[in-house]
Amino acid sequence: RGVTRGNLMQIAYVNVFVSDLGRAIGFYEGTLGLRLEHSAPEHGYASLAGGPVRLGLAVAGVDQAALVGRHTGIGLAVSDLEAEHRRLAGLGVAFPMPPSRKPWGGFMALVADPDGNVFYLDQIRAVHS
């Protein structure tokens, strides 16, 4: 009963709920450097690319307000965390946790968007074979 190769499920996108779509696009595209692929302000949604998984920005409806300003559990990766921390902190981006080395060997920080949505920011170096 396994999944056939022709029907392999993949993660295509993850959504983050925001309060102001224009401000969020400005942050994710202008500050973080993700590429805006699609924006539909009339529907309260935008899609950004920054790798194989897309990041969706969805304006929270009245019944979804509690979904804004939370730890997302989403990890963003850079090759030089210290340099990216300096750049983003210089732009006024909030870091609930500055870059730190973890007991398991990871090197990461927590970064927040203007709504207080928190992301992991990990240093991941390319593997050379």
Side-chain angles (χ1 to χ4, degrees), residues 102-121:
K102 300 300 173 193
W104 63 87
F107 185 41
M108 63 185 298
L110 294 177
V111 62
D113 77 0
D115 276 311
N117 291 308
V118 176
F119 297 81
Y120 296 105
L121 185 58

Side-chain angles (χ1 to χ4, degrees), residues 54-118:
R54 301 297 180 256
L55 179 66
L57 302 177
V59 175
V62 175
D63 60 335
Q64 298 170 318
L67 298 176
V68 177
R70 301 167 45 136
H71 194 301
T72 65
I74 298 170
L76 306 172
V78 295
S79 61
D80 186 338
L81 180 57
E82 290 174 338
E84 191 64 3
H85 175 257
R86 280 192 304 275
R87 183 183 81 79
L88 293 174
L91 294 172
V93 174
F95 281 85
M97 182 184 80
S100 60
R101 300 208 181 273
K102 300 300 173 193
W104 63 87
F107 185 41
M108 63 185 298
L110 294 177
V111 62
D113 77 0
D115 276 311
N117 291 308
V118 176

